[in-house]
Amino acid sequence: MTPAIYLLKGREKSLKRKHPWIFSGAIKNVQGEPKLGETIDVYSNDGKWLAKAAYSPKSQIRARVWSFKNKEINKSFFISRFEDALLLRKDIIVRDGLTGFRLVAGESDSLPGITIDKYQSFLVCQFLSAGAEYLKDTIIEALITIFPDCNIYERSDVSIRKKEGLEECTGVLHGEQPPNSIVIEENGIKIAVDIKTGHKTGFYLDQRDSRKQAMKYVRDKEVLNCFSYTGGFGLYSMKGGAARVINADVSQPALDLAKSNAELNNFDVSKKKAVFLNADVFKLLREYREQGTKFDVVIMDPPKFVSSKNNLTSGANGYKDINMLAMQILKPGGTLLTYSCSGLMSADLFQKVIADAALDSGRKVKFIERFEQAADHPTDSAYPEGFYLKGFACKVL
Ligand code: SAH
């Protein structure tokens, strides 16, 4: 018999709205002895069947719903979910000319704990929940059925696996060893991605739409691209006709790749057009302020500053600080393109933080455009938490 959980009275409400998470505090009792990640049935207090879910005994999110339909969670279940994921991205892949994109975005694709990015023939997977780990072999079989010529590589080297009682792991799951770099294309720009050692699964696919939007602000401008990683916004700025782009990051391998990405696109990488600067952005901005160096455009795409509710205030202060500095080194009429990938910071709060930065900078700031995560990172109507990346274009006087 399939193990099961019974919920406390009234705690089925979120499931009725198709939200996939069941917190430990909502559970009345567990029937049977489900293993780490095993598929269980979920019942309401009065015994009504609600969902098939994956059991996560180590996590506060005690179960994640695979399906609200009473069918087996097997290879054909995953094939059908992957087909849905492809279907909803089909137009976007063609529109943006993508050979690298997010195929599966976890809960947002009704596949809790599974992230899959496709770089050419390489599928890079992160299995972030006990349930995803438990069904890994089935998931791989389903992927091979849909993409018979694919190679599958695992990048489950993420600390949140600990909360699920899982070790971090990486390596080939199917097919060939990945090469050191795989060249993908988006919006006509070529980008080499190192899926073995790059951040996340190798590249920040989620900023693609914002990178494209950034192009319209940079023609003939002096651009400072903070937290450049492997080029991202810098490459789009060069394509958009920037007079000069300074890319700043603390990772030398990322900067080296940024430069070779610029060369790959035949952009002019002479010092008068492009600089790849190994620098701590916090220090660099202060130095520019002291020196009186000014830019037409500052791009501010930092790593996640808010990792839990406990550090929301300190994270918000971090965003305020760097954005204040960015405003202070902009010429009058300059543009700040600023982003936050902290899901726990709402777009409203981020706007308030930018407003506080404006006050502290002593500059007048106008919001002129809003951005969000790229279209292959959708937000499911039942799972608003899937929306995490937001940004603004601001004019600074
Ligand atoms: N804008 C990029 C993604 C940025 S990811 C894109 O579109 O692809 C964040 C980057 O910040 C990483 O490359 C990391 O190396 C860098 N980083 C983190 N802390 C930093 C610091 N204090 N100064 C400079 N770079 C930093």
Side-chain angles (χ1 to χ4, degrees):
M1 209 175 83
T2 310
I5 55 174
Y6 285 79
L7 302 184
L8 290 163
K9 193 161 178 256
R11 297 303 292 267
E12 71 285 359
K13 272 194 196 124
S14 60
L15 292 190
K16 290 252 162 83
R17 294 190 57 81
K18 306 278 189 269
H19 193 283
W21 290 351
I22 300 163
F23 285 94
S24 57
I27 296 173
K28 187 174 71 176
N29 65 295
V30 181
Q31 202 175 76
E33 284 178 11
K35 294 194 265 304
L36 185 71
E38 192 174 348
T39 306
I40 54 170
D41 285 307
V42 184
Y43 293 94
S44 66
N45 184 58
D46 54 5
K48 284 204 186 77
W49 185 92
L50 296 169
K52 289 264 182 211
Y55 188 58
S56 277
K58 302 261 160 67
S59 168
Q60 283 308 308
I61 305 173
R62 193 54 49 93
R64 288 179 172 79
V65 171
W66 284 125
S67 177
F68 293 98
K69 288 192 182 135
N70 200 350
K71 283 195 191 150
E72 215 190 315
I73 306 305
N74 53 16
K75 184 174 158 188
S76 30
F77 164 80
F78 286 109
I79 288 177
S80 144
R81 283 282 198 270
F82 294 148
E83 282 170 348
D84 285 352
L86 261 180
L87 180 64
L88 77 92
R89 288 162 175 85
K90 212 170 148 196
D91 299 346
I92 300 158
I93 294 167
V94 175
R95 182 193 70 186
D96 298 339
L98 304 180
T99 51
F101 59 90
R102 177 144 297 186
L103 171 67
V104 173
E107 276 78 348
S108 303
D109 282 295
S110 308
L111 287 169
I114 305 175
T115 303
I116 305 173
D117 289 339
K118 190 169 186 297
Y119 300 101
Q120 299 284 9
S121 70
F122 279 85
L123 297 167
V124 185
C125 302
Q126 292 182 320
F127 300 103
L128 307 171
S129 64
E133 180 70 27
Y134 187 81
L135 292 171
K136 195 152 126 179
D137 292 346
T138 313
I139 293 165
I140 295 165
E141 280 174 34
L143 280 174
I144 296 168
T145 305
I146 298 199
F147 303 101
D149 300 324
C150 74
N151 303 286
I152 307 179
Y153 192 75
E154 178 167 20
R155 278 298 303 270
S156 300
D157 48 337
V158 262
S159 59
I160 45 166
R161 271 175 65 102
K162 273 203 198 89
K163 288 191 183 168
E164 295 281 319
L166 308 168
E167 298 289 315
E168 296 185 11
C169 55
T170 60
V172 175
L173 296 175
H174 175 73
E176 293 168 19
Q177 264 293 345
N180 290 337
S181 84
I182 297 171
V183 177
I184 58 158
E185 206 162 313
E186 55 173 56
N187 296 309
I189 294 180
K190 292 188 180 69
I191 300 157
V193 179
D194 179 350
I195 66 173
K196 281 186 287 192
T197 63
H199 293 180
K200 306 212 290 186
T201 64
F203 190 54
Y204 292 88
L205 295 163
D206 55 0
Q207 280 288 41
R208 181 192 316 113
D209 292 359
S210 293
R211 288 193 281 265
K212 187 171 182 202
Q213 302 285 4
M215 282 172 77
K216 61 180 183 257
Y217 294 100
V218 299
R219 181 154 299 279
D220 299 327
K221 306 290 189 200
E222 289 276 326
V223 178
L224 175 63
N225 178 24
C226 300
F227 308 100
S228 67
Y229 190 51
T230 55
F233 284 93
L235 299 171
Y236 279 72
S237 299
M238 295 178 97
K239 176 143 186 187
R244 188 161 88 126
V245 186
I246 296 183
N247 298 283
D249 203 284
V250 280
S251 161
Q252 193 57 46
L255 288 164
D256 293 343
L257 196 47
K259 187 169 184 196
S260 72
N261 277 333
E263 287 162 347
L264 190 62
N265 288 280
N266 297 318
F267 297 144
D268 181 354
V269 291
S270 63
K271 287 235 160 55
K272 62 180 195 325
K273 295 295 282 181
V275 176
F276 301 89
L277 191 64
N278 191 329
D280 178 334
V281 165
F282 291 87
K283 282 194 200 141
L284 181 70
L285 294 173
R286 285 191 168 78
E287 278 165 26
Y288 283 143
R289 186 177 62 182
E290 258 93 84
Q291 294 161 6
T293 307
K294 295 264 157 77
F295 294 87
D296 300 303
V297 178
V298 175
I299 298 166
M300 192 54 72
D301 183 29
K304 188 155 100 178
F305 288 165
V306 183
S307 53
S308 76
K309 280 186 186 146
N310 298 333
N311 77 349
L312 186 56
T313 309
S314 64
N317 280 330
Y319 285 110
K320 190 181 89 167
D321 194 34
I322 45 164
N323 281 288
M324 176 198 74
L325 290 162
M327 290 165 188
Q328 290 174 328
I329 60 161
L330 274 164
K331 294 177 193 165
T335 309
L336 170 64
L337 300 171
T338 185
Y339 309 89
S340 163
C341 61
S342 301
L344 291 167
M345 171 173 283
S346 67
D348 280 353
L349 178 56
F350 189 46
Q351 183 169 340
K352 287 191 184 116
V353 167
I354 300 302
D356 282 348
L359 272 181
D360 289 358
S361 72
R363 303 290 292 269
K364 266 192 175 165
V365 173
K366 319 278 179 189
F367 293 95
I368 58 167
E369 196 177 356
R370 268 143 238 272
F371 310 113
E372 52 186 72
Q373 63 216 45
D376 52 345
H377 294 59
T379 307
D380 188 283
S381 57
Y383 181 73
E385 294 90 336
F387 175 65
Y388 65 99
L389 180 55
K390 55 261 146 201
F392 298 110
C394 303
K395 277 284 169 192
V396 177
L397 293 170

